Amino acid sequence: MNGQESTKPHQGGVNMVGHRKDLQPQTLEEEVRWALDFDPQDPDLGLNWEDLSSWRITRRTMLRLFIATGAFHYLSYLFNPPPLFAQGRPGGELRAAWNLREFTNLDPAFINQVFQFQVASNVLSGLTHIDKDLIPRGDLAESWEVSRNGLQWTFHLRRGVRFHNGDPFTADDVIYTYNRTLDPKVGSLHRAVLEGVERAEKLDDYTVRFTLSRPRASFLIKVTERSSGRALTIVNRRAIEQMGKEYTRRPVGTGPFRIVEHRLGERLVLEKFPDYFVKGRPRLDRVVIFNIEEPATLVSALEAGQVQFINAIPEALYTRVKGNRDLIVSETSDPGFQAIFFNLRADKKERIGKEKLPTDDNRVRLAVAKAMDRDDLIKRALLGRGIPAYGPVPPAQAAYFADLSKTSPQRFNPEEARKLLAEAGFGGGFTVKMVVTPPTRRRGEVIADILKRHANITVELEVVDFPVQVQRFDSGQFEWLQIGSGGDYDPDDSIDDWFASNSKFNTFGYANPRVDALNAAQKTTTNPERRVKWVREIVEILSRDAPCVFLFHGMDSVAYRKNVRGFIHIPSLRDLDTVTVG
């Protein structure tokens, strides 16, 4: 819009479903089609920025925002909303388990994994939060307005809100959180999320204004939402200054639960915050979350009733859990990707004692990718619950996703794989070590078998706890490492976070100037067609450069006992404030 109010009319007099535009759609399918009926050349996607004010925001407006952010997985979710179960009596205790060795860091500035922000979302708040209809509603913001040029967002904050330590919440806390995220001395992992935000201002104790350098349709989802972006997940200054590093284990927020106990690697205890600003929530008095990383132990604890809820179902035990009549399985498409990352760092010798690895050669990396039978992997390791991946953009980001199964340089072709290995001097194969975790050990074993059969590559598994795996990945202490991304609602999550040379998760040493240039362009354009073009070009380059072997896009699953009621399954989230135990 270049700072000017958009006056572009919608094109044509009849919409895609044959209704005049002044008539309301009668079905959800018509509603979606109606929302998509706008001039594709309009860089504003047919949006009126005034429509984004919180008291006017509509589902039609949100559907257009999903186009802007690539969050098309929301559309399938709207067609298939989660089942709502009858609520039980308020009060009581939920015993839950996360398949994670420990919650190493719950400070939103440093949370770099989905399992951590699943817990933090129950403790901390943001200006907005996605509700059951997948619309960002006011969280600590009661309402907001957007200027006609889309460059100023003014938020009116809730009054009477208190932090868990009794401090009142005001505009000062928003400004403090904003400045803390930007402070290089703090080192927030999510500083880049605020790129394009020129300044944040306190207008009075309960009003803040953000000024952007360019319009950003994804602002409510990517920047202010309390879980996904984490750049403006509101923190408490006094608690941070008094608690120091302890804040990473027991953050103080304004959310429905407060942390009353945290035994690292054992359990985390959440207690109902009686002054929570949403009336009637949380419904539970207490939640005890146990750390149980070993898959069989996790499932056995759920089956025996020792815990009533698990945050994820181990791949190898899915059939067992699904077949248990005492349990409920809830599943939705996971907006993310899984891959085998290669160590491409120049300082490998200092890290792992080897100056060179076979996969330093692009021909070898492509050979590994071509030897990977993804269908076989998904069938044997995931029981068919996944989609083959040839790039980081998941099908959930439908506007940006392209089917590369027949064109990608990484598509399965064992003959080409063996030819490339021979050309690179590894015709007899080679041996390599790959880091996996206990929950993904079975996946690693299947990968090793596939590569041995098709390319005579011997993969020796190093099984470590997840925090150790993350530390090894961050420090470059690996040859190969199988890991992935979750909660990728936008290309900025799946591309910008991982594959730009200065990405926060690019610790494996990949760099391509063309990718950097395209990534900078796709983040700043307001033209959706250009963004789609540039994102897809990045994916094609990544498929060819093969800094990793893209494996699959998976499923997001939880399981719980039948006496657990009221859980609403939103992809990647585990909010428990609506839950009761009957």
Side-chain angles (χ1 to χ4, degrees), residues 292-524:
I292 307 177
E293 187 176 30
E294 205 286 313
T297 305
L298 179 77
V299 170
S300 294
L302 180 66
E303 291 172 332
Q306 296 170 329
V307 300
Q308 301 144 311
F309 180 101
I310 60 174
N311 77 310
I313 303 173
E315 295 165 359
L317 301 175
Y318 179 83
T319 301
R320 172 174 153 185
V321 174
K322 184 73 173 177
N324 191 321
R325 296 183 178 181
D326 294 328
L327 304 177
I328 292 173
V329 170
S330 180
E331 188 167 65
T332 185
S333 176
D334 178 47
F337 70 92
Q338 292 289 324
I340 301 170
F341 283 88
F342 305 122
N343 190 336
L344 304 176
R345 294 171 60 135
D347 61 348
K348 283 192 291 290
K349 187 174 183 179
E350 299 176 11
R351 306 288 177 175
I352 60 176
K354 294 183 178 180
E355 187 173 353
K356 295 183 179 180
L357 292 173
T359 42
D360 290 345
D361 189 322
N362 181 238
R363 293 172 296 181
V364 176
R365 298 197 300 272
L366 282 175
V368 177
K370 290 177 180 293
M372 179 51 56
D373 187 341
R374 293 162 179 79
D375 290 330
D376 188 24
L377 171 64
I378 292 169
K379 178 180 178 181
R380 293 164 58 194
L382 307 179
L383 304 176
R385 298 164 50 251
I387 299 172
Y390 300 94
V393 173
Q397 296 177 25
Y400 304 94
F401 177 77
D403 183 1
L404 301 178
S405 60
K406 296 181 180 179
T407 60
S408 170
Q410 295 200 14
R411 66 190 184 280
F412 180 55
N413 190 323
E415 291 184 3
E416 286 189 13
R418 291 189 289 269
K419 180 180 178 181
L420 285 170
L421 286 174
E423 290 178 0
F426 294 96
F430 58 89
T431 299
V432 68
K433 295 180 179 179
M434 182 171 74
V435 180
V436 297
T437 63
T440 61
R441 180 171 189 159
R442 171 59 180 167
R443 184 190 307 171
E445 291 171 346
V446 175
I447 289 171
D449 177 66
I450 291 172
L451 293 180
K452 184 65 177 179
R453 285 190 290 113
H454 295 303
N456 198 30
I457 296 172
T458 300
V459 179
E460 299 177 349
L461 300 182
E462 293 184 85
V463 183
V464 302
D465 296 326
F466 185 74
V468 177
Q469 185 192 44
V470 172
Q471 186 276 329
R472 296 272 297 272
F473 186 68
D474 290 345
S475 62
Q477 296 176 342
F478 66 94
E479 296 182 11
W480 294 5
L481 190 145
Q482 201 286 292
I483 201 168
S485 182
D488 292 350
Y489 303 123
D490 185 87
D492 282 359
D493 295 312
S494 47
I495 292 175
D496 184 56
D497 284 356
W498 289 87
F499 297 102
S501 58
N502 61 347
S503 294
K504 61 184 178 182
F505 299 139
N506 185 355
T507 58
F508 47 96
Y510 174 69
N512 184 313
R514 180 61 178 167
V515 168
D516 288 346
L518 289 169
N519 181 59
Q522 69 87 13
K523 289 197 301 180
T524 57

Side-chain angles (χ1 to χ4, degrees), residues 554-574:
M555 301 296 292
D556 183 42
S557 306
V558 302
Y560 45 92
R561 300 191 67 82
K562 289 186 175 180
N563 64 336
V564 175
R565 300 173 180 175
F567 174 70
I568 301 172
H569 192 176
I570 300 174
S572 298
L573 294 181
R574 303 292 184 263

Side-chain angles (χ1 to χ4, degrees), residues 170-180 200-202 208:
T170 68
D172 290 330
D173 299 296
V174 179
I175 301 301
Y176 171 73
T177 300
Y178 172 81
N179 289 331
R180 181 176 186 252
E201 304 169 88
K202 171 186 173 181
V208 294

Side-chain angles (χ1 to χ4, degrees), residues 281-293:
R281 295 187 186 176
R283 306 199 72 191
L284 292 165
D285 290 332
R286 181 180 168 98
V287 178
V288 181
I289 301 176
F290 297 95
N291 294 104
I292 307 177
E293 187 176 30

Side-chain angles (χ1 to χ4, degrees), residues 529-542:
E529 290 185 338
R530 290 179 182 174
R531 194 178 191 215
V532 167
K533 177 183 177 182
W534 291 331
V535 166
R536 290 185 175 180
E537 185 176 345
I538 291 171
V539 172
E540 290 176 358
I541 293 172
L542 293 175

